[in-house]
Amino acid sequence: QQGKRRTHDAQLLQWQMIPPSSNPVVDVIPFFVKWSASSSHPAQQLSDHHCHLVSLTIRNPDPTPLVALLSSLNFETKVMTGTAQIQAEIKAENGKTVILN
């Protein structure tokens, strides 16, 4: 699916959404956004709050097909057996760690 829009300063953002695959069947999988090389990345417009992603963990009742799918996309993250969930651990400049589910 293609998408595009103009930013508040009239820059054109263009992207392609890559939806989750229905094969293999998994309970949880993130979708991906491929930003066009001809447009600026929206993150370039954000203020730096000095936070960084420490870890991303994906849980799925049967992690095997999810591991294979993510591997085929060269997407490295921790995949574990459990109730379907995506969890991000983010560390702030002040040292505080926040976990988002």
Side-chain angles (χ1 to χ4, degrees):
Q1 298 171 334
Q2 301 286 337
K4 64 181 177 181
R5 73 171 179 88
R6 295 250 175 224
T7 64
H8 67 281
D9 58 354
Q11 289 187 13
L12 181 63
L13 292 178
Q14 296 179 358
W15 64 87
Q16 177 183 2
M17 285 185 54
I18 304 169
S21 172
S22 59
N23 188 9
V25 176
V26 294
D27 291 327
V28 62
I29 187 167
F31 72 90
F32 295 92
V33 175
K34 180 180 179 183
W35 295 99
S36 170
S38 65
S39 67
S40 65
H41 191 286
Q44 295 170 335
Q45 306 300 316
L46 297 175
S47 300
D48 187 355
H49 292 281
H50 306 285
C51 296
H52 68 274
L53 180 65
V54 175
S55 67
L56 183 68
T57 303
I58 302 175
R59 290 180 177 79
N60 197 64
D62 179 8
T64 304
L66 183 56
V67 168
L69 178 62
L70 293 174
S71 179
S72 73
L73 296 170
N74 293 321
F75 186 83
E76 294 183 28
T77 193
K78 188 187 306 183
V79 179
M80 301 172 63
T81 302
T83 302
Q85 179 185 54
I86 299 175
Q87 182 180 65
E89 181 180 356
I90 300 170
K91 189 169 189 175
E93 181 180 33
N94 64 5
K96 270 190 172 179
T97 300
V98 177
I99 296 178
L100 305 170
N101 295 319

